[in-house]
Amino acid sequence: MAGAMKRFLPLFDRVLVERFAPEVKTKGGVLLPEKSLGKVLEATVVAIGEGTRTDKGEIIPPSVKVGDKVLLPEFGGTKLNLDDKEYFLFRDGDILGKFLS
């Protein structure tokens, strides 16, 4: 993960996230078929841009930090493949919320 982040830095208010892997087993141990797996809407922030600029030229930093666990919209984002891993690029305003730990 660190090698990919050295080669890619999001611009402006973009946030690069890595989605969590879908659960393939139920609590009872039953394996779920691939078709029944839903889209995972939770992710970890792996890189952020510097923020968006106001009309006066001031920078507004993104509302999330690297390492935050966030809730994503069901659709949207730009898919990226870096070092054989799948990442998604979202605007800061498109992220629905972050989980507090």
Side-chain angles (χ1 to χ4, degrees):
M1 180 166 57
M5 297 312 105
K6 288 181 183 177
R7 293 184 303 150
F8 184 82
L9 179 66
L11 297 177
F12 306 114
D13 65 338
R14 305 299 198 285
V15 178
L16 188 70
V17 299
E18 182 177 12
R19 289 185 192 245
F20 293 151
E23 292 291 329
V24 293
K25 252 188 195 182
T26 64
K27 291 181 182 178
V30 176
L31 292 174
L32 298 172
E34 192 173 314
K35 286 186 177 182
S36 71
L37 297 176
K39 198 176 226 185
V40 178
L41 302 179
E42 296 175 19
T44 302
V45 176
V46 293
I48 58 172
E50 67 178 12
T52 182
R53 290 191 183 268
T54 64
D55 293 336
K56 296 180 182 178
E58 299 168 353
I59 294 177
I60 301 171
S63 58
V64 295
K65 300 182 298 282
V66 173
D68 283 349
K69 292 184 174 136
V70 295
L71 180 66
L72 303 173
E74 188 170 354
F75 301 103
T78 302
K79 183 176 165 182
L80 295 169
N81 288 316
L82 301 170
D83 291 341
D84 297 329
K85 283 193 173 185
E86 194 173 83
Y87 298 96
F88 290 87
L89 192 64
F90 285 90
R91 287 188 178 269
D92 184 43
D94 291 342
I95 294 175
L96 303 176
K98 65 180 175 179
F99 296 100
L100 301 175
S101 50

